[in-house]
Amino acid sequence: MQNSDVITHDVIVVGAGLAGTWAAMTAAENGVKDVAVLSKIHPLRSHSGAAQGGIAAVLNNVRPVAGTGPRGPLEQIPPGDDPVDSFDLHMFDTIKGSDWLGDQDAIEIMVKDAPDVVIQYEHMGCVFSRTKDGRINQRRFGGHSAPRANFSADRTGHVLLHTIHEQALFHNVKFYSEWYVMDLIIEDNITRGVVAINVLTGDIKMLRAKAVMFGTGGYGQAFKVTSNAYANTGDGVALAYNAGAPLMDMEFVQFHPTGLYRHGFLMTEACRGEGGYLINKLGERFMKKYAPDKMELAPRDLVSRSEQIEINEGRGVMEDGQGIYLDMRHLGREKIMSRLPEVRDLAIAFAHVDPIEDPVPIQPTAHYSMGGIPTTVDGEVLANANGDLITGFYAAGEVSCVSVHGANRLGTNSLLEASVFGRRAGRAIAEFVKGGAKLHPVPGDPAEKNRKMVQQLFDNDGTELVEDIVQDLKTTMTNKVGIFRDEEGLKSALDDIHNLQERFKNIRVMDKSKRFNTNLSMTLEASHLLTFSELIAAGALNRQESRGAHSRTDFPKRDDESWLKHTMAHKDEDGRPKFSYKGVTIYWDRFPPQERKY
Amino acid sequence: MSNNDIQRTVTVRIQRFNPDVDKKPHMQDYQVKMWPGMTILDALHEIKTHQDGSVTYRRSCRHGICGSCAMHINGRNTLACKTPIINEVQKNDTVTIGPLPYLPVIKDMVVDRTSFWEQYLRVKPWLLPPDDIPEKEFRMSQEEVDALHDAEACIMCGACYSSCAVIGLNKKYLGPHALLKAFLRVLDPRDTAPAERLEIVSQADGVARCHTIFNCIDACPKGLNPTQAIETLRKLAQKRQQYEEARRERQKHLNEPIPS
Amino acid sequence: MYTSTGFISWLLRRISGVALVLYLFTHLWVIGAANSGTQVFNARLDAVQTPIFKLFEIALLAAVVYHALDGIRLLLIHYFDLTEYRKTLFWAVFIVSAILTLAGGIAILAIMLNGG
């Protein structure tokens, strides 16, 4: 192996969204100078920036105006008055939202770290919307019993991402922009480094590090209608799984109730948090039937299921009956322009309706992956269900599964999770490196192995186009592994996926150039889509109950006796997933499992 | 417009250039069948995945928040993901697409943004807060937030930058994107160094180079106004010491509730 | 190149500015001849009154008028937020300059044709 081909850093972070950037910046702040962040797109293009509604934290800045009911106006809490929110309440909401699959110790840490993290963002220069007396403004959100979504108009993720990136630059974190990680090297349970392609030149290099951290985000692109960017192809989960790490709770995929019809773009939950209604073909606010108390502000899995039932029973809108109306007209021009400008812009640009004048057509959209790489509360990746660790491997954010979201995530908890656990991972990594972590040798020549693999792809010259395989996968996942699942559909989905994996061997990569070859990167991304989709379907088939976002029409009830546990999937010798289980941490005296009604 | 209109086949004319194999850029035509709601980005995706995998462009979010897909469409800079193709093929059923102007082309629509990011760093985009950090948030009024005129909404897409004739002639000009970012930080009451920032933007390649050509406003997909931000910086730069003193005064009360 | 009304406005501003500077040198060259005696002075004055220079005079008028009006536009933009009216202002300057140049140009030519 030529030395010039190897790059060495103390810490390599993959993914420059909130989680990765927090980890890198925190490690740098804590004395690790040699941190490098690799991102397959420019850091500011990361999908963290697409988050809209807010970041949850118990700040107690705002409360409902007395006597105006659960959809009434909010006002700032005068100093000295009683708080309306508490850590216990935030914990309970999150635990209930997770349908009791969330690990309560991790949730407690997240909820208690939240105010500090949000205030740190503000001190770093984040522009938030403000109350009259200048505090960070908060709004209601689905599944939260108090208004605790701290927001910046409807571009919260965008301002958080830009702020943390600027801070990382200030701390001299090195960014490798447009370097696509192709392989994770773990040997004897010790992390050695990664192999990455410099997209600009097409050179494939080995990068050695004492610690590798994944902040690579989610995998919505496996579905037809998704809020996720083209970039969200689950590279991190697939690479970790292929390298021998387990993946946890993959069957839990969140479908956000309000994606723009056909396109799937996110129309933030804040539309409903600010008072918007969901209407079916008959003009009814149908949530009354499914969640009489919380109505449109029930958690996302519940609302999506309700919408899907309305659609399946013929009460959907638009030509194909697959839509639902989101009506915000009664919010008024002023509120929409100041609180929801981005969403209005999207509705006008893509659906040709102005939410001030007309209801907006929406539909459920694949939005978030609750499952992922299992970690401790400090971002250390688990090797198995017993809690053993993989040395030098860390993960945080959507790619990880701590698990704080369990079977379903509440809105505004994801920006929070990425920030809190990204920061904690950064601290843990700093301690690990300063504590004398070694740079372990790399077995063989993984860079050369990957170069040969790429050359094989180029030489393959089969008859299948990658996009056709991807479209077929999306159809299978949406129809058979979507909001409602059953045994027959899931078995058929697994057959489809195995079929597609076979077809993939016959693909043809059209662009064989070295320079900026996005045809190549899209092909590699497609292989990752096939890898983790199998796990989602297999996990869904395996879990014979309905819990949170995982809904089995043949097992419609939650089964705590048999299924109050996390699913861990390892890759076995045949390349198929092998399941084991990990217990859920529950504070039985404080938050024992209850029926989940809204 | 009837659905029949929408589903016709149109020509997408793309500027191709791979410096490794081409001597100079050349135009190449592709035929695409439109569907209702199709955007330029959708058309490019169709071409790349089904017709010619070597057509290269940057993209990610598909809905105008990541800033990757800024390119030159029918003579103006805009985001490909937010541009409906039906509006662009009025003439001869053809839409012409090329990379952002004035920047070196890496491949097809992918340009080298090194100078763009260097200028962004030159204005020190991070906040420089006071040393006295309170336990809770700094107090900033909604009016002070509104005075930023949504400058924080900038997605750094580069449409403004590569529509600016000054950038075309002088790569060292800070540019509308960096000056908008400087404006965001100068006006923020939590920033302790407005005079230093105004000094930075008053240098030779700063605000003085803006000739109010206004292309940036036309190009900005978020409807932002870099020209006005630059004007404000110009005015403030003339009184930077006074402005800094006013800032110090304001910061004495940064931890107190905003009076109603 | 990215063409637009703003770009044309800037281009004409530069061209008219350069033209005015060149005019200044020419003017100084002519007037400065006063130091070299009546004959030289008259010779230079005659040289700049030939028909071709009449056309230059009209061009000078155009440059002065455009540069002055555009200068006023710039002052307005610097003190007020007229972003909304930016295109209107560009066209106003173009059109008023054109009208004034036309009117003045006709007068100049008329005077010339009537025997100066």
Side-chain angles (χ1 to χ4, degrees):
Chain A
M1 176 162 64
Q2 283 180 310
N3 278 337
S4 60
D5 278 335
V6 182
I7 298 172
T8 307
H9 286 286
D10 277 347
V11 179
I12 287 176
V13 173
V14 182
L18 293 186
T21 312
W22 266 105
M25 187 191 82
T26 308
E29 266 182 335
N30 281 297
V32 181
K33 291 290 168 237
D34 188 14
V35 186
V37 181
L38 274 68
S39 177
K40 69 178 179 183
I41 48 181
H42 186 276
L44 290 178
R45 315 299 180 211
S46 302
H47 205 55
S48 302
Q52 298 170 347
I55 177 171
V58 175
L59 288 186
N60 271 309
N61 285 347
V62 148
R63 70 181 175 202
V65 172
T68 59
R71 309 307 288 276
L74 300 170
E75 62 178 7
Q76 63 193 19
I77 300 180
D81 270 24
D82 287 333
V84 297
D85 202 1
S86 68
F87 289 141
D88 267 8
L89 198 54
H90 192 176
M91 271 184 78
F92 177 71
D93 287 340
T94 303
I95 292 166
K96 184 177 173 187
S98 78
D99 218 346
W100 273 274
L101 197 65
D103 291 304
Q104 298 183 6
D105 56 337
I107 293 174
E108 180 163 33
I109 287 174
M110 182 178 84
V111 152
K112 288 188 169 158
D113 267 3
D116 186 58
V117 145
V118 172
I119 303 238
Q120 197 179 342
Y121 268 124
E122 196 274 336
H123 289 163
M124 293 193 297
C126 230
V127 176
F128 280 103
S129 296
R130 300 281 174 162
T131 62
K132 281 212 179 60
D133 66 354
R135 286 177 284 172
I136 297 173
N137 206 346
Q138 302 180 294
R139 52 160 69 120
R140 290 192 178 89
F141 233 76
H144 291 277
S145 312
R148 62 174 76 103
N150 301 283
F151 66 96
S152 174
D154 57 351
R155 49 176 88 100
T156 314
H158 167 81
V159 297
L160 296 185
L161 177 65
H162 278 245
T163 303
I164 194 69
H165 182 70
E166 289 157 10
Q167 290 296 311
L169 290 171
F170 179 66
H171 283 95
N172 291 315
V173 169
K174 186 174 165 65
F175 285 96
Y176 285 75
S177 178
E178 294 176 318
W179 280 61
Y180 180 40
V181 170
M182 301 169 68
D183 208 350
L184 171 65
I185 313 299
I186 298 179
E187 187 83 17
D188 292 335
N189 211 46
I190 301 174
T191 314
R192 314 294 169 133
V194 297
V195 175
I197 181 169
N198 178 349
V199 179
L200 173 59
T201 61
D203 291 332
I204 294 176
K205 302 238 191 239
M206 177 72 212
L207 291 101
R208 294 174 68 193
K210 298 173 183 168
V212 171
M213 188 254 175
F214 271 15
T216 51
Y219 52 64
Q221 281 292 320
F223 295 86
K224 230 189 179 62
V225 180
T226 176
S227 65
N228 284 196
Y230 276 123
N232 296 25
T233 49
D235 302 333
V237 290
L239 290 176
Y241 178 70
N242 286 334
L247 294 181
M248 191 160 93
D249 293 344
M250 288 297 285
E251 58 268 30
F252 296 104
V253 179
Q254 181 177 80
F255 291 86
H256 191 293
T258 53
L260 195 61
Y261 172 73
R262 273 208 80 196
H263 297 274
F265 312 139
L266 186 65
M267 305 290 279
T268 174
E269 193 164 7
C271 295
R272 289 169 283 141
E274 297 288 349
Y277 301 148
L278 290 172
I279 313 280
N280 63 14
K281 189 161 85 171
L282 308 170
E284 307 170 319
R285 272 180 79 189
F286 56 86
M287 285 309 297
K288 211 185 183 73
K289 294 186 271 185
Y290 307 96
D293 190 31
K294 285 275 199 302
M295 295 286 284
E296 284 87 355
L297 287 181
R300 292 169 177 181
D301 56 331
L302 215 161
V303 181
S304 287
R305 271 195 294 274
S306 313
E307 289 178 352
Q308 194 61 47
I309 292 173
E310 293 292 304
I311 290 167
N312 291 346
E313 291 179 2
R315 293 187 290 278
V317 298
M318 306 306 282
E319 295 111 38
D320 57 0
Q322 296 294 307
I324 295 282
Y325 278 137
L326 171 63
D327 195 350
M328 294 180 274
R329 289 174 291 182
H330 54 284
L331 300 182
R333 163 170 281 270
E334 219 236 291
K335 191 172 236 181
I336 294 180
M337 299 296 282
S338 63
R339 302 288 180 91
L340 303 167
E342 298 277 339
V343 147
R344 175 168 178 264
D345 196 37
L346 285 172
I348 294 173
F350 293 101
H352 311 298
V353 294
D354 185 343
I356 298 175
E357 320 267 321
D358 291 304
V360 181
I362 50 93
Q363 65 179 136
T365 181
H367 182 61
Y368 183 83
S369 352
M370 270 70 75
I373 304 173
T375 68
T376 63
V377 296
D378 290 315
E380 302 152 310
V381 175
L382 304 181
N384 53 42
N386 298 330
D388 299 320
L389 302 178
I390 297 177
T391 309
F393 188 28
Y394 297 79
E398 192 172 350
V399 75
S400 73
C401 186
V402 190
S403 154
V404 287
H405 308 306
N408 172 66
R409 172 174 80 75
L410 293 187
T412 67
N413 267 353
S414 177
L415 290 176
L416 179 61
E417 173 197 18
S419 313
V420 165
F421 293 105
R423 193 169 70 162
R424 292 182 74 90
R427 285 194 201 122
I429 290 171
E431 265 188 54
F432 175 68
V433 170
K434 289 192 307 192
K438 289 204 287 283
L439 198 63
H440 290 269
V442 177
D445 192 349
E448 188 56 29
K449 190 177 97 182
N450 277 281
R451 282 182 212 117
K452 288 208 167 77
M453 184 266 286
V454 167
Q455 194 55 48
Q456 271 172 353
L457 279 176
F458 286 156
D459 294 338
N460 207 37
D461 262 335
T463 53
E464 287 262 22
L465 286 177
V466 176
E467 180 71 1
D468 292 334
I469 295 177
V470 169
Q471 286 303 327
D472 286 348
L473 174 69
K474 285 180 185 248
T475 306
T476 293
M477 293 301 285
T478 303
N479 294 346
K480 301 175 186 172
V481 197
I483 294 179
F484 289 113
R485 305 152 170 185
D486 63 40
E487 178 168 336
E488 198 189 318
L490 290 169
K491 284 201 168 127
S492 165
L494 278 170
D495 283 336
D496 289 346
I497 293 171
H498 294 150
N499 226 319
L500 290 168
Q501 286 168 340
E502 272 309 302
R503 280 173 60 190
F504 193 79
K505 296 181 181 156
N506 191 25
I507 50 152
R508 179 167 66 91
V509 179
M510 289 187 267
D511 185 4
K512 304 193 213 280
S513 59
K514 269 205 104 181
R515 174 187 281 253
F516 219 98
N517 190 338
T518 46
N519 196 190
L520 172 65
S521 44
M522 283 167 77
T523 305
L524 296 171
E525 286 168 346
S527 74
H528 296 318
L529 291 178
L530 291 172
T531 303
F532 68 72
S533 294
E534 178 175 7
L535 291 175
I536 300 176
L541 180 62
N542 188 50
R543 181 174 285 266
Q544 291 177 331
E545 65 154 357
S546 287
R547 182 186 295 266
H550 170 65
S551 214
R552 291 277 301 255
T553 51
D554 46 358
F555 292 97
K557 290 239 180 333
R558 189 177 95 196
D559 182 358
D560 283 348
E561 262 199 57
S562 312
W563 287 103
L564 188 53
K565 56 195 183 190
H566 296 293
T567 315
M568 295 271 249
H570 275 97
K571 189 176 184 181
D572 71 12
E573 308 82 42
D574 301 321
R576 296 281 168 247
K578 191 173 61 184
F579 291 114
S580 54
Y581 302 96
K582 179 169 170 291
V584 180
T585 308
I586 296 181
Y587 295 146
W588 291 96
D589 51 334
R590 288 165 68 194
F591 304 106
Q594 295 173 8
E595 195 190 343
R596 186 169 174 252
K597 263 220 292 269
Y598 288 97
Chain B
M1 195 171 308
S2 73
N3 267 342
N4 290 335
D5 256 354
I6 293 173
Q7 264 149 13
R8 64 186 198 277
T9 301
V10 293
T11 303
V12 179
R13 179 162 293 157
I14 302 179
Q15 181 182 299
R16 309 296 315 280
F17 183 49
N18 180 347
D20 291 341
V21 286
D22 298 322
K23 282 212 179 57
K24 58 188 176 86
H26 58 278
M27 304 306 280
Q28 195 165 346
D29 284 0
Y30 299 90
Q31 305 306 313
V32 170
K33 182 150 174 258
M34 299 193 291
W35 38 261
M38 188 190 223
T39 61
I40 296 288
L41 186 63
D42 292 328
L44 286 171
H45 186 82
E46 168 60 35
I47 293 167
K48 183 178 178 73
T49 54
H50 285 111
Q51 299 182 36
D52 183 351
S54 67
V55 171
T56 308
Y57 51 93
R58 290 184 170 118
R59 88 292 182 253
S60 194
C61 74
R62 304 168 298 144
H63 63 275
I65 194 75
C66 76
S68 304
C69 66
M71 44 185 95
H72 199 66
I73 299 172
N74 276 351
R76 60 180 214 293
N77 290 351
T78 185
L79 298 179
C81 67
K82 279 182 93 171
T83 307
I85 192 171
I86 188 84
N87 297 343
E88 302 300 321
V89 293
Q90 309 286 2
K91 267 208 209 115
N92 299 332
D93 275 357
T94 304
V95 58
T96 307
I97 304 176
L100 291 177
Y102 309 144
L103 292 170
V105 176
I106 292 173
K107 186 170 168 187
D108 297 346
M109 269 71 71
V110 177
V111 292
D112 183 345
R113 290 167 178 259
T114 309
S115 56
F116 179 81
W117 294 118
E118 265 167 16
Q119 282 130 9
Y120 163 80
L121 286 173
R122 262 170 71 197
V123 298
K124 303 196 188 183
W126 43 82
L127 186 84
L128 294 161
D131 292 321
D132 179 22
I133 308 268
E135 210 183 284
K136 302 209 128 181
E137 64 266 52
F138 292 121
R139 298 298 182 108
M140 187 171 164
S141 70
Q142 188 59 42
E143 284 73 36
E144 285 169 319
V145 172
D146 293 338
L148 302 171
H149 292 298
D150 296 335
E152 75 274 13
C154 171
I155 57 178
M156 290 287 160
C157 68
C160 63
Y161 181 80
S162 64
S163 71
C164 179
V166 179
I167 286 289
L169 299 164
N170 176 8
K171 282 293 176 308
K172 296 218 199 69
Y173 171 43
L174 276 176
H177 70 305
L179 290 170
L180 186 65
K181 185 58 98 172
F183 167 82
L184 177 68
R185 291 298 173 218
V186 166
L187 259 73
D188 195 317
R190 303 166 294 178
D191 191 79
T192 47
E196 182 192 337
R197 294 184 187 277
L198 289 167
E199 188 68 49
I200 293 173
V201 302
S202 302
Q203 284 162 13
D205 297 307
V207 291
R209 291 278 83 78
C210 170
H211 295 304
T212 59
I213 294 173
F214 288 120
N215 284 350
C216 52
I217 301 176
D218 293 335
C220 179
K222 302 307 251 183
L224 302 175
N225 194 338
T227 317
Q228 212 49 47
I230 295 170
E231 285 299 328
T232 310
L233 288 175
R234 261 199 261 249
K235 290 201 199 66
L236 292 177
Q238 281 163 0
K239 318 186 204 143
R240 62 188 90 135
Q241 288 314 324
Q242 281 156 282
Y243 192 71
E244 176 129 330
E245 263 155 45
R247 176 60 50 81
R248 272 195 252 280
E249 215 19 72
R250 169 74 183 90
Q251 292 200 333
K252 287 192 188 135
H253 311 282
L254 207 48
N255 304 330
E256 294 159 32
I258 307 286
S260 33
Chain C
M1 252 334 214
Y2 208 93
T3 50
S4 59
T5 32
F7 176 66
I8 306 285
S9 157
W10 171 79
L11 199 60
L12 290 175
R13 197 149 70 240
R14 280 288 171 274
I15 292 174
S16 57
V18 166
L20 287 170
V21 168
L22 288 177
Y23 162 70
L24 194 62
F25 287 146
T26 315
H27 184 66
L28 287 174
W29 177 72
V30 170
I31 300 298
N35 286 335
S36 311
T38 326
Q39 238 180 330
V40 180
F41 185 80
N42 283 340
R44 288 213 185 145
L45 206 56
D46 285 334
V48 297
Q49 297 207 329
T50 51
I52 184 84
F53 272 89
K54 284 294 168 206
L55 289 175
F56 282 148
E57 262 181 41
I58 298 173
L60 175 63
L61 175 63
V64 168
V65 147
Y66 178 83
H67 206 85
L69 286 174
D70 203 51
I72 295 174
R73 186 190 63 83
L74 276 173
L75 280 172
L76 288 174
I77 295 178
H78 283 312
Y79 284 104
F80 306 106
D81 182 1
L82 297 171
T83 311
E84 230 182 291
Y85 306 105
R86 60 191 185 279
K87 292 254 160 53
T88 316
L89 287 171
F90 283 140
W91 281 105
V93 169
F94 291 153
I95 292 173
V96 174
S97 302
I99 293 173
L100 289 176
T101 305
L102 199 61
I106 291 174
I108 291 172
L109 287 174
I111 293 171
M112 177 186 86
L113 291 170
N114 280 343

